[in-house]
Amino acid sequence: MRKPLLAANWKMNQTVSESLDWLADFNREIAGVLNNKDVDAVFCPPFTALYPLHQVIASQKMDICLGAQDLFWQEAGAFTGEISPGMLAECGVSYVICGHSERRTLLQESSEMISKKCGAAVAAGLVPILCVGETLSIREGGLTQEWLEAQLYESLDFWDGKSEIVVAYEPIWAIGTGQAATAADAEAACAIIRDNLREKGAGFADQVRILYGGSVTPENAAELMSGANVDGALVGGASLKAAAFAGICRAVFAENSQG
Ligand code: PEP
């Protein structure tokens, strides 16, 4: 049984003070409902908020994990503007998003770069959340499976088949559009992803958590996660409001505790 993982991707939103307010609100909303035996809740704020959030999470012993939205594959050196795996680990980070479609498209990150980032994360003891997903034209052209397989083949070059990773299926046409995939489409894509993971990590693929991302809300979260291969969600817009993200956590918790 894979423990559901719900990750909040705040993107370039929330100042430090807004992040701290958000955490207090979320903690109030979720108090007594969730604990990390049931669901892993991961917050991925901008880099600037990581350490202040870590201090509060640690001092109040909250059942919340911190994630970063990106990293660089070198540990130190002349890489202006980049951040290293060790710097993130020191801020209490345990997960890191790698290869979000916004970075693949806006910043031309290649799967080769993303594989290096994932490998550096694993080497530093962080769990990469590797994002893959197709555009609308690829989907309409009937090429979703081929696209996902190619992205996985290149982005998983780093993977030894047994270190802990998370994969997020994020169809680009569903991100920020309010038009989520159907539960059947999410399950079909996540099943393709798991089959591909088996080729490299035969004994471990069933332990890898595969998330769906794209316009997840408190109303559709449980349905989207009902497929056998969908183990959680990567949430953008709806994670900016503590109450909405808490609603998603509660919906998934209720679903999980029934089944
Ligand atoms: C995302 O950016 O990873 C995402 C899933 O965004 P949204 O939930 O807003 O579609």
Side-chain angles (χ1 to χ4, degrees), residues 41-127:
V42 180
F43 302 95
C44 306
F47 293 136
T48 46
L50 285 170
Y51 192 64
L53 284 176
H54 166 57
Q55 286 181 304
V56 176
I57 291 169
S59 69
Q60 299 191 21
K61 297 188 172 40
M62 294 177 180
D63 281 328
I64 291 172
C65 298
L66 268 184
Q69 297 175 21
D70 188 32
L71 84 175
F72 194 60
W73 56 81
Q74 297 281 353
E75 200 40 60
F79 305 106
T80 302
E82 298 295 343
I83 192 147
S84 77
M87 291 171 184
L88 295 177
E90 195 188 27
C91 289
V93 165
S94 37
Y95 293 85
V96 56
I97 298 172
C98 296
H100 191 280
S101 63
E102 285 153 15
R103 299 195 64 86
R104 287 183 188 259
T105 52
L106 295 173
L107 299 161
Q108 282 84 47
E109 279 194 9
S110 65
S111 291
E112 189 189 349
M113 291 163 73
I114 291 157
S115 177
K116 286 205 251 182
K117 290 182 175 202
C118 291
V122 169
L126 309 177
V127 178

Side-chain angles (χ1 to χ4, degrees), residues 9 11 100 102 170 174-176 213-216 234-237:
N9 174 17
K11 312 190 186 195
H100 191 280
E102 285 153 15
E170 294 216 306
I175 295 178
S215 298
V216 174
L234 181 53
V235 186

